[in-house]
Amino acid sequence: MELRNDKKWCDVSSSRHGGSSKKRKLDDRYQSSASHATESKASAADDCTNRPSGVKASKARGKKTVDGKAADFQSMWSIKQQDLLAKKELYKMSLLDNLLAKREPLSESEEALKRKLIEDVLSV
């Protein structure tokens, strides 16, 4: 009775209560309050059918996922690197666009930056 709600023993207790009993089944209209109580016990036992994995199984699963996580991390890192390079190029293009759109004369540093950005764009 103490272990009937424990996850490990739920299958055993549910097979006793909900198994092939020789009692006849009643129609819905003839069910009493006692039958409702047994149904609630059976539904509680059905909720417990997912037993936790054992020690060896959880260790094996943990070792397998390490390789998968490393591969996932590598692919995410390469995607992140590509994203950063694209953002850097976009920033350079917007900076060059701002320098080209200026109507007033550019200072020496702005002029040097403009030439450098144009060289970078043309070299790609």
Side-chain angles (χ1 to χ4, degrees), residues 22-88:
K22 295 181 181 178
K23 295 181 182 178
R24 64 185 174 111
K25 306 234 181 218
L26 298 175
D27 291 338
D28 288 339
R29 57 188 168 177
Y30 295 115
Q31 287 183 345
S32 65
S33 63
S35 65
H36 289 296
T38 58
E39 285 179 4
S40 66
K41 287 180 185 176
S43 66
D46 289 341
D47 293 339
C48 296
T49 57
N50 295 335
R51 290 177 27 189
S53 61
V55 173
K56 292 180 181 177
S58 63
K59 283 184 180 179
R61 186 179 60 241
K63 289 179 181 178
K64 287 180 185 176
T65 57
V66 169
D67 296 333
K69 287 181 181 176
D72 289 342
F73 179 75
Q74 290 296 332
S75 65
M76 286 175 43
W77 181 252
S78 64
I79 291 171
K80 182 69 174 177
Q81 291 294 331
Q82 291 172 355
D83 188 40
L84 288 173
L85 288 174
K87 284 183 180 180
K88 188 175 180 181

Side-chain angles (χ1 to χ4, degrees), residues 3 6 8 23 30-31 36 41 80 90 96 113 121:
L3 296 174
D6 195 21
K8 184 175 183 180
K23 295 181 182 178
Y30 295 115
Q31 287 183 345
H36 289 296
K41 287 180 185 176
K80 182 69 174 177
L90 186 62
L96 180 61
L113 179 63
V121 169

Side-chain angles (χ1 to χ4, degrees), residues 93-106 110 114 118:
M93 294 296 277
S94 66
L95 191 59
L96 180 61
D97 188 38
N98 286 340
L99 288 174
L100 292 174
K102 275 192 173 179
R103 298 276 182 212
E104 57 203 37
L106 300 174
E110 289 175 335
K114 182 175 106 175
I118 290 174

